């Protein structure tokens, strides 16, 4: 009746930026991510016929009905799917600093889907779990698996799920999450994704998706850090280029984002190989190898003011605790 | 034997960003610009069989052979074209603050081509002058005419020239050139144009050129400030999106560029209509109408530190003084 799951968040290297179906959260493109060890969510799901209401406690704080709405709607959807209707209590602890620009919704909905299924004794494959997670948040689809994960876009609810590419990559790859200062109000991912589709470059980008996924999978197979870095940086920039050319144009970049981008460019010119990726926010994540990590961290601290850096590497898939 | 011409610089609203032929400086796309009243170059060209050397004096300073190389090569090319070979003296005064992010080469080579032709008594049409100017600097092609000017890309030296769209536009349109601080070393236009062609969005952009030119011409005809602004902003962003997705990626944006972009976005959200355009540098130019000009200038001064603002409107074509 009461089960706890832990799921790690992930960062997309080939980006997901557009929904084919708003309700099913099926995407317009396949994406490929790296699950991160440093950031995770623990979620306990308990259901009981004796409970008189639904409760959502996040980081020890009972959430208001308004704050709980998304999570409740999600659980009600899953309950309907499997024919359950009793009340439940969700206790969730996020080990994802929201300010680091990493979506906590990925680990949150992966942990929630898994604890929900276990609590009801549903014997679901990880593939089925990834579909359930997707109904909560697109990026959660990928957090079911560890290491490198592909979210195959599919054509409907049944065919849109994650597959593991390499759950335990034997690859020297670190991610430095740079938390930069910002006071700017953010355009939500949902809104940004819709706007981006008005860009003249959106369809050309989509047309490249299959090739980009194939190239990154090949680079992962070959343990080719340079190729992985270049493809990741390109995918992120394609996403931000679509935002910049949308009608109307917008950008998640802040002044500090440009500083971080130029820093990475400068480091590369000095022979210190590293690449950046940027999601729907101003924060920059740097991909590097262990050899250069210390030097890059020191350069970041010198160039950017008030920056916090979190170091991450490959994290595992979802587990029951 | 001695003639003086004045040419004004221009800002491309539909951008030129790529050469079809490096030597002829024929472009991969047509562009459409606005000639600016606030910035110009006066150039005196004198040739005489009694002169014993070629001389180039810029802003009162005699230039070294290295500094004169581009200009001398250009004049030697023109002389060869028309069968002249005597020595010459060029005196040029730039009224284009180089820090304002406006290319002085546009007005410089337009004035130089015109004074050269007049000095040799060549009776050339403005179309022919625009072709000569093009051989010096691509953007100079457009500075032969005033107002709105289209540089038709053509297919060769004979067919690549500027045509006037509206030399005296009856249109309320101001340009605010924002000079922002920068210490960053710039990627030259020549290098940037080549790199941009490696972007997956470059060909899709080129494929849109004909339509974009047609739409802007229609908007000019309809005196539709909103359409002119939107199309101009899109073209600039398409150029910068190609840079961001080039292999390797680069950007002319600086932190202050992002601040200026966000300021324009915020002003629009407040109902103060304005648009930006950005060339191969960090400086932002704002397009606005007279009604909002004062308010925008005050907002810029409040938001950006150490910013200088130059106000411009439509300038005339090249003239002999």
């Amino acid at each position: 009746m009461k089960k706890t799951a832990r799921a790690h968040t992930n960062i997309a290297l080939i980006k997901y930026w557009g929904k084919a179906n708003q309700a099913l959260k099926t995407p317009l493109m396949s994406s490929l991510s790296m699950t991160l060890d440093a950031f995770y969510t623990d979620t306990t799901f308990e259901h009981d016929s004796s409970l008189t209401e639904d409760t959502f406690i996040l980081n020890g704080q009972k959430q208001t009905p308004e704050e709980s709405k998304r999570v409740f709607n999600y659980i009600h959807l899953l309950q309907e799917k499997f024919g359950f209707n009793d009340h439940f209590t969700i206790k969730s602890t996020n080990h994802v600093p929201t300010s680091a620009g990493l979506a906590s919704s990925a680990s949150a909905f992966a942990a929630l889907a898994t604890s929900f299924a276990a609590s009801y004794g549903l014997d679901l494959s990880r593939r089925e779990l990834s579909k359930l997670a997707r109904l909560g948040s697109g990026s959660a689809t990928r957090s079911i698996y560890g290491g490198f994960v592909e979210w195959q876009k599919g054509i409907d609810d049944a065919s849109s799920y994650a597959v593991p590419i390499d759950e335990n990559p034997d690859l020297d790859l670190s991610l430095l999450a740079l938390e930069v200062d910002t006071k700017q109000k953010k355009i939500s991912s949902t809104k940004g994704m819709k706007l981006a589709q008005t860009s003249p470059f959106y369809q050309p980008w989509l047309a490249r998706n299959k090739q980009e996924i194939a190239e990154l999978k090949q680079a992962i197979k070959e343990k080719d850090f340079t190729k992985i870095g270049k493809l990741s940086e390109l995918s992120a920039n394609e996403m931000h280029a679509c935002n910049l050319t949308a009608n109307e144009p917008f950008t998640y970049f802040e002044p500090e984002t440009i500083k971080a981008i130029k820093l990475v460019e400068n480091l590369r010119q000095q022979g210190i190989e590293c690449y950046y990726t940027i999601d729907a926010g101003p924060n920059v994540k740097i991909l590097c190898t262990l050899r250069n990590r210390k030097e890059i961290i020191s350069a970041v601290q010198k160039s950017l003011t008030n920056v916090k850096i979190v170091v991450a590497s490959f994290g595992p898939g979802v587990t029951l605790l």
Side-chain angles (χ1 to χ4, degrees), chain A residues 28 62 71 99 112 133 163 195 235 237 251 272 283 288 300 319:
Chain A
L28 286 165
K62 190 180 167 185
V71 162
S99 53
L112 190 52
V163 293
L195 264 174
S235 178
N237 282 336
T251 180
I272 302 163
N283 293 290
C288 66
V300 168
T319 47

Side-chain angles (χ1 to χ4, degrees), chain A residues 5 24 40 100 133 137-138 140 146 152 162 165 209 235 262 264 293 302:
Chain A
L24 296 174
Y40 59 94
S137 170
Q152 298 179 343
I165 298 303
N209 179 245
S235 178
K262 303 237 164 181
V264 170
R293 205 164 81 177
K302 229 186 285 175

Side-chain angles (χ1 to χ4, degrees), chain A residues 1-5 45 47 111-124 129 132 319-321:
Chain A
M1 297 283 196
K2 179 173 168 179
K3 292 284 180 184
T4 301
F45 185 91
H47 70 95
L112 190 52
T114 305
S115 58
F116 168 90
S119 165
Y120 280 111
L122 300 168
D123 186 25
L124 299 180
L129 283 177
L132 293 192
T319 47
L320 285 169
L321 299 183

Side-chain angles (χ1 to χ4, degrees), chain A residues 96-108:
Chain A
V96 184
T98 48
S99 53
L102 287 154
S104 58
S105 61
S107 52

Side-chain angles (χ1 to χ4, degrees), chain A residues 197-261:
Chain A
Q197 292 176 49
T198 63
S199 162
F201 295 152
Y202 194 80
Q203 289 304 323
W205 183 29
L206 277 193
R208 291 171 43 76
N209 179 245
K210 204 174 166 180
Q211 178 197 331
E212 290 184 346
I213 291 278
E215 282 176 4
L216 184 52
K217 280 160 87 170
Q218 185 62 27
I220 289 166
K221 211 171 165 183
E222 291 168 359
K223 303 182 197 304
D224 188 332
F225 169 69
T226 299
K227 267 194 203 163
I228 293 170
K230 276 176 181 277
L231 287 164
S232 301
E233 195 169 288
L234 176 59
S235 178
N237 282 336
E238 285 173 322
M239 168 184 149
H240 291 283
C242 286
N243 297 344
L244 194 63
T245 49
N247 180 16
E248 64 177 71
F250 68 102
T251 180
Y252 288 108
F253 290 2
E254 295 282 340
E256 293 288 311
T257 313
I258 294 288
K259 279 191 202 167
I261 287 176

